[in-house]
Amino acid sequence: ISKYNISKLPTIITTDARTNTQFAGTWTQNAGTMESDGRLVVRNANPPFYDLTTKKTVGLVDGIAITANCSKCLNVSVYFQALESQQAGVVFSNKTVLQDNDSMALNLIAKYNITKLPVLLLSKDIESYTVVSQLAIVMSNESDYYVLRNVSPPYSDLQKNKSIMGLVKEVHVENSSCST
């Protein structure tokens, strides 16, 4: 650890790779460094990992979802599934689903001025994942959580007395004199 100044665990240290310059070049672009002795060291560890500097595990995300009292609204488990997918690779230490009338949910709604449900709150550990740049478009960065603000319809609008927004009524008008 001290010889190669390793700051994240787990890591990989390979044997001498100076003879394969193409592999070493790809390695240094994507995974880590080539040391003066020719060994390759992983520096870009995917979360979760143990940070030796802070002596903490990084990348275990705490997720809180608050559901809407709405049968047509998105099931909040979809949020967790999408983040846990292979593409995003988020690892959760805790996934909590709260009903919109739960006291903890009501406190979070008030604290973060949440106006639409369902909503997702993610702890700051999400910052260790590359997906955070995509989430920044739809989530606001609050003091201790990222809060989903752009909710896809249908959703419960808390500013409009929990009215369900985004439902579409469909009316078909047919001409009975036209058989085709």
Side-chain angles (χ1 to χ4, degrees), residues 10-177:
T11 192
I12 298 172
I13 302 169
T14 68
T15 57
D16 191 335
R18 289 179 282 203
T19 57
N20 189 337
T21 56
Q22 183 179 4
F23 178 74
T26 301
W27 180 276
T28 56
Q29 285 179 337
N30 299 304
T33 58
M34 182 192 295
E35 303 301 314
S36 59
D37 63 0
R39 295 192 184 262
L40 300 173
V41 179
V42 169
R43 302 283 179 194
N44 306 332
N46 290 328
F49 57 83
Y50 185 76
D51 186 319
L52 292 166
T53 308
T54 63
K55 299 191 177 355
K56 292 181 180 177
T57 301
V58 175
L60 291 174
V61 178
D62 183 25
I64 301 173
I66 304 173
T67 64
N69 188 12
C70 164
S71 62
K72 304 260 189 225
C73 295
L74 184 68
N75 181 335
V76 293
S77 64
V78 171
Y79 293 139
F80 291 126
Q81 290 168 1
L83 290 168
E84 289 174 315
S85 72
Q86 274 189 324
Q87 288 179 319
V90 174
V91 176
F92 286 94
S93 59
N94 191 25
K95 296 185 287 189
T96 304
V97 177
L98 303 171
Q99 299 302 315
D100 62 352
N101 59 355
D102 180 276
S103 62
M104 183 179 174
L106 294 171
N107 288 335
L108 291 168
I109 289 167
K111 180 177 180 178
Y112 297 110
N113 192 28
I114 294 169
T115 60
K116 298 174 184 176
L117 295 178
V119 70
L120 181 66
L121 294 91
L122 300 173
S123 66
K124 295 294 183 163
D125 282 291
I126 194 69
E127 292 173 348
S128 59
Y129 293 88
T130 56
V131 73
V132 76
S133 61
Q134 297 162 353
L135 294 174
I137 298 167
V138 294
M139 299 187 92
S140 63
N141 186 350
E142 304 295 335
S143 57
D144 46 354
Y145 283 99
Y146 281 85
V147 180
L148 179 66
R149 298 281 179 199
N150 289 345
V151 179
S152 296
Y155 60 86
S156 176
D157 191 325
L158 301 180
Q159 293 178 317
K160 295 182 180 175
N161 200 25
K162 295 188 178 182
S163 296
I164 305 304
M165 306 302 287
L167 293 177
V168 177
K169 185 174 183 178
E170 185 175 340
V171 176
H172 292 266
V173 178
E174 297 178 10
N175 184 342
S176 61
S177 66

